[in-house]
Amino acid sequence: LGQLNYQGGRGVEQNYQRALDYFQQAAAAGNANAMAFLGKMHSEGAGDAVKPDNTTAFQYFKKAAEQGNPVGQSGLGLMYMYGKGVEQDYSKAFKYFSQAAEQGWVDGQLQLGIMYYSGLGVRRDYMMAIKYFNL
């Protein structure tokens, strides 16, 4: 229900406040996916319901990532890659993107491709970039 309210669709209007409530309930019960979406909401902001807050986003992404959630891992990777609320650290970004990519999470694969293409924390390698872009 959290995702449905967050994204809208299937006859449900987008409602960030409702999404926040559902995600908080699920996260309190230990749901890693809800934690990851709370990280996303706090990272990007969500209408009037959530203002951007990198510290809170990091905490939720970290909890989700510790449970092996690829959305949380990718979220942490982005925070480290761009230095959002943390010191920029390409090796940590690579670590978290790799964990997400190994689970088939497309954003983790895309970000690894970008790192290889741009030479961010890794030796520039177009073949590896193409590999990750085509997964």
Side-chain angles (χ1 to χ4, degrees), residues 2-82:
Q3 279 183 268
L4 203 51
N5 280 280
Y6 179 67
Q7 295 168 333
R10 298 184 188 207
V12 176
E13 286 189 37
Q14 187 177 51
N15 185 322
Y16 291 131
Q17 186 58 54
R18 247 192 230 141
L20 178 66
D21 294 341
Y22 283 125
F23 286 142
Q24 287 174 330
Q25 289 174 35
N31 183 292
N33 204 44
M35 293 173 196
F37 271 93
L38 284 168
K40 184 173 173 58
M41 289 181 83
H42 285 281
S43 175
E44 299 171 356
D48 293 334
V50 179
K51 299 295 175 216
D53 178 353
N54 287 327
T55 301
T56 304
F58 181 84
Q59 292 169 348
Y60 279 120
F61 282 143
K62 186 164 177 48
K63 287 179 185 178
E66 287 170 350
Q67 292 187 42
N69 180 277
V71 179
Q73 293 163 341
S74 192
L76 271 183
L78 286 168
M79 293 191 83
Y80 280 115
M81 185 169 172
Y82 295 107

Side-chain angles (χ1 to χ4, degrees), residues 83-127:
K84 288 182 69 177
V86 295
E87 190 172 323
Q88 189 174 48
D89 186 331
Y90 291 131
S91 65
K92 286 183 180 177
F94 186 86
K95 170 188 160 185
Y96 288 113
F97 290 143
S98 295
Q99 290 173 355
E102 286 169 12
Q103 295 182 67
W105 186 245
V106 174
D107 190 57
Q109 296 165 349
L110 172 66
Q111 298 304 329
L112 285 175
I114 290 169
M115 290 186 81
Y116 277 112
Y117 183 82
S118 303
L120 300 175
V122 294
R123 193 180 94 261
R124 180 173 282 168
D125 186 333
Y126 294 124
M127 294 303 290

